[in-house]
Amino acid sequence: MIETELNPERVLIMGVQTDRYMDEKFRVLMKEMSSLTETAGGIPVKSITQKLSRQDSKSSVGSGKLLDIKDQIAKEDIDLVISLNELSPSTNRYLESELGVRVIDRVQLILDIFAMRARSREGKLQVELAQYDYLLPRLHGQGKHLSRLGAGIGTRGPGETKLESDRRHIRSLMTTIKKELAQLSEHRERTRLRRRSGREFNIGLVGYTNAGKSTLLRELTMSETYVQDQLFATLDPLTRQMTINGHDAFTLTDTVGFIEELPTSLIQAFKSTLEEMRYVDLLLHVVDASSPDRLMQEQTVMNLIQELEMEHLPILTVYNKKDKIEGQFTPTLFPYVVVSALDADDVEQLKQAIWQEIIAASESFAVDIQPYESELLALYRQKTLVESVEFDEERQMYVLKGFRRQSSEEE
């Protein structure tokens, strides 16, 4: 757990099971709220739930449940209440006035974690823009809490001075951020085009948060990456070169983990970052095979893949953490491979599965190379999967055969 303060905030989590939530899904989301709270540096002390057909427009929960929450805040010395359900600005303000402590919702909690995790300039700007967009209608009363606390879950990112500024100033800041993001997006597009013109095989890692993508990236590419058993351990895309069967013509890109009901503002904020995944040659969908919530997590990722318009890409499902599987395991997505990212033999098995998928999606080629064109031969070895090189005595030239990425109209 990451501690952001000397005394981590004691958190009460409240959730309303409306008609949109089946029992199992609601249970999973409430359990996930505890993990998100810990990732943000808080201590989940108490969870209080209520079943209603819809949220109360004034207080989210019923009046009796609100009194129960108030009692628990005093009894458990609670510093912060986090709502699973999204709260309107007026409901947020009412709850804070009634409960006497800060109140945030799941969206703000996730935004806070993203602000903590962002490392690149673009990542920080995207988080800041999403925070401004979310907090703008909620500025009333924010200054009081920020002045009193100076820190805490839900206050990371823009900071006290900016949030106490007037709305016109914040809208001006948002316009400036959008312009800079557009410039960074153009730069990333140029980089992407250079990589595609280089004809390397680009592979993308996607999956539910904490499925083990970063560990796989580290083991597949033998590189140092931040690996931690936490939600959203990786936020900024990270690309590394990968070698399979002696060929260096592969790049592997890690991305932010997906999550059930990812806030719309965040999907929009990170769509440009995730957009690069739309141009990969193969998606590795990493699944925590040991998770009791595996089926829901799989469906969440597949739904987001569709929303991000990536369903046309070939997908290899990587069922990870096989060493933690209890009982019989039955895969539900195909093609697939079952591995432990910490087992060298399994990693090699995964590489061979990637190789087979890439070959299946590639086009074969044969090219003649003159003996003096050694640089061209080296380039083919670097950018394609060379199967054989033979010297034709009669024609006095090399005949190179292998596989390369399928050419497309946009290249």
Side-chain angles (χ1 to χ4, degrees):
M1 184 180 78
I2 293 180
E3 293 189 1
T4 56
E5 302 172 274
L6 290 176
N7 297 308
E9 289 171 287
R10 294 172 62 81
V11 177
L12 182 147
I13 299 167
M14 58 179 262
V16 179
Q17 185 180 357
T18 59
D19 290 344
R20 61 177 295 206
Y21 295 124
M22 299 294 286
D23 290 349
E24 180 62 15
K25 184 174 181 179
F26 184 73
R27 180 194 66 77
V28 170
L29 286 173
M30 284 300 292
K31 185 177 76 171
E32 197 168 72
M33 283 293 291
S34 292
S35 298
L36 287 167
T37 299
E38 289 176 350
T39 298
I43 301 173
V45 177
K46 194 82 178 176
S47 288
I48 293 182
T49 63
Q50 185 174 29
K51 210 166 187 174
L52 296 173
S53 57
R54 58 186 176 84
Q55 283 175 263
D56 185 272
S57 58
K58 187 177 182 182
S59 58
S60 187
V61 295
S63 55
K65 189 62 69 173
L66 190 63
L67 288 173
D68 186 16
I69 292 170
K70 205 168 186 176
D71 289 342
Q72 291 299 322
I73 287 172
K75 182 181 175 183
E76 301 288 351
D77 195 22
I78 298 296
D79 303 302
L80 173 69
V81 171
I82 305 180
S83 169
L84 164 70
N85 314 83
E86 189 167 346
L87 302 174
S88 69
S90 59
T91 301
N92 209 134
R93 289 194 290 270
Y94 178 78
L95 284 171
E96 288 187 332
S97 66
E98 286 295 306
L99 299 176
V101 294
R102 281 196 312 123
V103 178
I104 65 172
D105 61 21
R106 183 175 180 270
V107 178
Q108 198 169 341
L109 175 62
I110 293 174
L111 280 168
D112 192 67
I113 295 169
F114 273 36
M116 190 168 61
R117 289 278 187 258
R119 294 289 178 266
S120 71
R121 176 65 179 161
E122 186 173 20
K124 288 176 180 177
L125 286 172
Q126 285 172 325
V127 173
E128 191 169 349
L129 183 63
Q131 285 181 313
Y132 282 144
D133 187 50
Y134 184 74
L135 294 173
L136 195 57
R138 293 167 169 78
L139 285 179
H140 179 74
Q142 283 282 339
K144 175 183 64 180
H145 291 303
L146 291 168
S147 299
R148 178 165 54 85
L149 291 166
I153 298 170
T155 65
R156 275 177 283 251
E160 179 180 352
T161 306
K162 288 182 181 178
L163 285 180
E164 288 180 331
S165 303
D166 64 284
R167 285 174 169 76
R168 186 181 301 173
H169 177 53
I170 287 182
R171 289 197 180 98
S172 173
L173 284 171
M174 290 173 73
T175 301
T176 303
I177 290 172
K178 285 175 183 176
K179 286 178 181 176
E180 187 170 348
L181 280 172
Q183 292 172 348
L184 289 168
S185 178
E186 288 174 10
H187 173 72
R188 188 180 56 251
E189 178 68 9
R190 289 193 294 271
T191 302
R192 183 185 66 76
L193 285 172
R194 278 200 303 273
R195 192 153 69 233
R196 279 182 71 78
S197 64
R199 302 199 61 77
E200 290 173 326
F201 295 86
N202 305 315
I203 299 161
L205 284 165
V206 296
Y208 207 80
T209 184
N210 206 29
K213 298 187 306 300
S214 296
T215 305
L216 274 171
L217 178 80
R218 181 188 67 192
E219 298 303 321
L220 285 167
T221 63
M222 303 300 289
S223 62
E224 287 301 317
T225 62
Y226 179 76
V227 176
Q228 196 68 36
D229 186 21
Q230 294 168 335
L231 301 181
F232 303 120
T234 302
L235 186 58
D236 297 304
L238 185 66
T239 300
R240 293 285 183 267
Q241 190 175 52
M242 179 172 64
T243 302
I244 303 180
N245 296 338
H247 294 272
D248 298 326
F250 300 91
T251 60
L252 189 61
T253 300
D254 191 12
T255 58
V256 60
F258 294 174
I259 193 168
E260 176 69 15
E261 297 192 357
L262 187 67
T264 307
S265 58
L266 282 179
I267 291 178
Q268 293 305 315
F270 288 90
K271 209 165 189 177
S272 57
T273 307
L274 291 169
E275 206 164 39
E276 187 157 329
M277 292 290 106
R278 292 171 61 187
Y279 303 99
V280 299
D281 300 289
L282 175 67
L283 277 179
L284 294 186
H285 174 193
V286 184
V287 178
D288 180 355
S290 68
S291 172
D293 311 315
R294 172 173 68 88
L295 295 180
M296 190 199 82
Q297 293 174 1
E298 283 181 356
Q299 195 55 51
T300 295
V301 174
M302 296 308 291
N303 289 343
L304 279 167
I305 283 174
Q306 191 168 5
E307 190 170 342
L308 293 165
E309 299 174 0
M310 300 189 299
E311 68 271 24
H312 64 285
L313 297 170
I315 300 176
L316 173 63
T317 300
V318 183
Y319 286 110
N320 190 27
K321 306 186 183 182
K322 78 172 189 183
D323 50 312
K324 296 183 179 178
I325 295 175
E326 295 180 0
Q328 188 176 358
F329 176 76
T330 305
T332 44
L333 298 174
F334 302 87
Y336 72 91
V337 60
V338 184
V339 304
S340 165
L342 302 176
D343 186 304
D345 291 337
D346 283 359
V347 172
E348 183 56 37
Q349 178 194 347
L350 174 55
K351 281 189 173 186
Q352 295 311 314
I354 292 170
W355 177 273
Q356 293 302 324
E357 290 297 319
I358 288 292
I359 292 294
S362 301
E363 61 184 18
S364 60
F365 74 94
V367 65
D368 297 334
I369 297 178
Q370 299 288 351
Y372 58 82
E373 295 179 307
S374 57
E375 289 184 2
L376 184 58
L377 179 61
L379 188 64
Y380 269 101
R381 288 190 184 278
Q382 184 183 351
K383 301 296 183 182
T384 70
L385 307 179
V386 176
E387 195 176 31
S388 66
V389 180
E390 296 177 359
F391 188 70
D392 187 324
E393 295 283 354
E394 187 176 329
R395 294 189 299 150
Q396 288 293 297
M397 62 176 57
Y398 290 99
V399 179
L400 185 150
K401 294 180 180 179
F403 297 91
R404 64 187 173 198
R405 292 174 58 254
Q406 292 273 8
S407 56
S408 64
E409 292 180 5
E410 58 183 79
E411 292 185 276

